[in-house]
């Protein structure tokens, strides 16, 4: 039986952090064994917010190197740069013609970004349409998403249904693969907001390339809640719950076990151990990363091969889509 298809991507908008790793890339690595996977670097999505052209190329290669360093294997998965597959944009236009503007107006992420001061450009507004195209152009069965992307995935399912009912059965409705813990890691400096590359303070996140001292320091200064009990309670103890989620995911240790281990031991000791666990895990990713970063040609070749492979599937989908719509040629 053919393997089910999974698609996802990460935007090269800055330094990748633990949220990107634990909420997305770690899951990608597990999925590559079970599914036919397409993982891309979402540069088209990145430019919906201003990017420095002098840095963007480097950021794209950095995401590619981190994908590989975290364990994505080009023999098992297709890795590529989104903008190199023009079919994403072609399908996005077509899906856009099926999208009521009112539906995009309701998208939470768009409203949040505008509130944060992002310029309200059409690309940002139409982000969910391009994301639907990213998924549907490979006719994905499932998409690993963080909690923040759920609404966009629901939109992709709706638009797939709309296309099918207007032009005849073409797309599957992709389901969400969300992890229970880690779907939304919160900022270390403010557990009411998600950990984010574009956070104002670098103390908001642990960068995947932060050095050991920096990692220890960021965990040491991470905000905690009142009291001293290490207990998961996201309403009453959001900060410590977030740190417990991080610990649990990075060390593959269930949260109740952690609560038992740190009963009566206080925040300082818990944080010290968490810092060490993170240093250990990230050092091993960084070692791989440094080895790869020296060989940019190898990374570029992997991305070129990936683009060729992705184009085959995307091209097939678009021939069928064009035919269904009634385009000539
Ligand atoms: N805090 C998070 N917790 C869990 N998962 C997260 N992801 C991002 N932040 C968290 C997941 O990482 C994947 C790639 O995200 P992205 O780079 O495409 O975009 P993003 O969600 O906008 O990430 P950032 O870090 O918040 O970037 P900026 O600051 O540029 O907007 C996605 O699967 C996402 O869910």
């Amino acid at each position: 039986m053919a393997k089910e298809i999974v698609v996802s991507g990460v935007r090269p908008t800055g330094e990748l952090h633990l949220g990107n790793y634990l909420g997305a890339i770690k899951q990608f690595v597990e999925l590559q064994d079970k599914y036919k996977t397409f993982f891309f670097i979402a540069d088209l999505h990145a430019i919906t917010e201003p990017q420095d052209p002098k840095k963007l190329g480097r950021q794209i290669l950095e995401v590619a190197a981190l994908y590989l360093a975290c364990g994505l294997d080009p023999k098992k998965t297709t890795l590529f740069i989104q903008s190199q597959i023009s079919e994403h944009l072609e399908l996005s236009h077509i899906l856009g013609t099926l999208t009521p503007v009112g539906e995009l107006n309701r998208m939470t992420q768009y409203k949040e970004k505008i509130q944060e001061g992002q310029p309200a450009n059409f690309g940002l507004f139409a982000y969910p349409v391009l994301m639907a195209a990213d998924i549907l152009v490979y006719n994905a069965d499932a998409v690993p998403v963080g909690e923040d992307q759920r609404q966009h995935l629901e939109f992709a399912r709706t638009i797939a249904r709309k296309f099918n009912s207007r032009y005849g059965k073409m797309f599957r409705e992709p389901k969400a693969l969300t992890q229970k813990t880690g779907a939304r890691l919160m900022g270390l400096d403010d557990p009411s907001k998600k950990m984010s590359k574009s956070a104002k303070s670098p103390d908001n996140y642990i960068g995947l390339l932060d050095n050991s001292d920096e990692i220890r320091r960021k965990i040491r200064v991470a905000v905690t809640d009142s009291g001293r009990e290490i207990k998961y309670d996201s309403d009453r103890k959001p900060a410590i719950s977030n740190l417990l989620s991080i610990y649990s995911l990075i060390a593959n240790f269930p949260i109740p076990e952690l609560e038992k281990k740190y009963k009566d031991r206080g925040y300082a000791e818990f944080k010290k151990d968490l810092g060490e666990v993170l240093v250990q895990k990230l050092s091993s990713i960084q070692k791989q990363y440094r080895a790869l970063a020296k060989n940019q040609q190898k990374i570029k070749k992997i991305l070129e091969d990936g683009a060729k492979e992705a184009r085959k599937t995307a091209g097939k989908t678009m021939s069928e889509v064009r035919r269904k719509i009634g385009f000539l040629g």
Side-chain angles (χ1 to χ4, degrees):
M1 211 174 75
K3 280 185 176 174
E4 287 200 335
I5 297 170
V6 160
V7 176
S8 195
V10 171
R11 298 187 311 150
T13 43
E15 223 184 318
L16 294 200
H17 53 74
L18 263 188
N20 301 130
Y21 176 63
L22 296 176
I25 302 173
K26 184 169 178 258
Q27 212 185 349
F28 296 177
V29 174
E30 287 154 17
L31 294 169
Q32 68 181 344
D33 288 320
K34 200 168 150 213
Y35 294 90
K36 178 169 172 56
T37 50
F38 294 88
F39 295 124
F40 60 89
I41 299 151
D43 55 348
L44 291 171
H45 287 296
I47 62 161
T48 56
E49 294 166 37
Q51 302 298 326
D52 181 348
K54 290 199 195 79
K55 292 191 188 148
L56 187 58
R58 203 175 61 224
Q59 287 169 192
I60 291 169
L61 290 176
E62 187 174 298
V63 175
L66 277 169
Y67 269 168
L68 296 164
C70 289
L72 285 181
D73 177 353
K75 289 199 196 79
K76 297 181 184 169
T77 188
T78 303
L79 296 180
F80 60 98
I81 302 173
Q82 182 191 25
S83 66
Q84 295 185 353
I85 314 296
S86 54
E87 283 83 353
H88 289 231
L89 290 167
E90 187 183 353
L91 184 58
S92 175
H93 173 76
I94 291 165
L95 299 181
T97 64
L98 300 170
T99 303
V101 169
E103 229 168 280
L104 294 180
N105 262 329
R106 280 196 291 277
M107 291 291 160
T108 313
Q109 198 177 69
Y110 177 72
K111 287 193 276 196
E112 279 174 4
K113 298 248 175 206
I114 299 307
Q115 245 174 11
E116 284 164 15
Q118 289 297 334
N121 67 66
F122 177 73
L124 186 62
F125 185 62
Y127 191 116
V129 186
L130 178 57
M131 180 170 151
D134 298 333
I135 298 165
L136 299 182
V137 84
Y138 301 101
N139 224 333
D141 296 278
V143 182
V145 282
E147 206 46 59
D148 53 323
Q149 292 294 337
R150 261 188 178 278
Q151 192 185 26
H152 289 171
L153 185 66
E154 206 39 60
F155 171 80
R157 292 166 56 85
T158 307
I159 207 83
R161 260 195 315 274
K162 267 194 197 162
F163 185 98
N164 291 346
S165 81
R166 170 138 354 149
Y167 295 113
K169 178 88 185 118
M170 174 75 216
F171 297 118
R172 292 189 271 270
E173 285 180 44
K175 56 180 184 278
L177 299 172
T178 323
Q179 316 181 79
K180 252 209 196 128
T181 318
R184 190 171 161 88
L185 292 189
M186 309 312 279
L188 299 178
D189 59 346
D190 177 1
S192 69
K193 296 209 179 85
K194 91 168 180 136
M195 186 180 284
S196 205
K197 295 183 211 98
S198 52
K200 294 214 168 57
S201 161
D203 286 351
N204 168 274
Y205 57 83
I206 305 270
L208 295 185
L209 299 176
D210 279 351
N211 68 39
S212 305
D213 288 345
E214 197 58 358
I215 295 169
R216 291 189 186 101
R217 190 192 63 78
K218 286 187 182 180
I219 293 294
R220 205 170 49 241
V221 302
V223 299
T224 42
D225 314 289
S226 53
R228 66 185 300 276
E229 203 190 358
I230 315 279
K231 179 124 197 66
Y232 190 95
D233 181 340
S234 49
D235 292 330
R236 285 180 46 244
K237 295 178 87 79
I240 214 70
S241 301
N242 189 40
L243 295 180
L244 273 167
S245 300
I246 293 174
Y247 199 147
S248 166
L249 284 161
I250 208 89
N252 286 323
F253 210 75
I255 289 178
E257 301 280 318
L258 286 171
E259 288 173 336
K260 244 190 258 162
K261 181 171 174 196
Y262 288 97
K263 194 168 181 309
D264 304 324
R265 285 172 68 186
Y267 292 156
E269 201 175 338
F270 170 75
K271 280 174 145 187
K272 188 162 175 292
D273 289 358
L274 172 57
E276 291 315 312
V277 169
L278 282 167
V279 164
Q280 209 184 22
K281 177 67 194 174
L282 295 187
S283 307
S284 107
I285 291 176
Q286 289 170 9
K287 203 167 139 208
Q288 304 282 342
Y289 173 83
R290 277 193 295 272
L292 280 157
K294 278 191 213 132
N295 197 345
Q296 303 267 312
Q297 285 317 317
K298 182 175 164 186
I299 299 176
K300 286 182 182 161
K301 174 79 173 68
I302 290 171
L303 294 171
E304 266 167 38
D305 292 347
K308 272 188 211 145
E309 189 59 32
R311 229 171 264 130
K312 275 192 221 157
T313 307
K316 250 205 304 258
T317 306
M318 286 316 297
S319 301
E320 182 68 9
V321 164
R322 284 185 213 113
R323 198 182 57 72
K324 281 201 173 334
I325 291 177
F327 288 162
L328 293 179

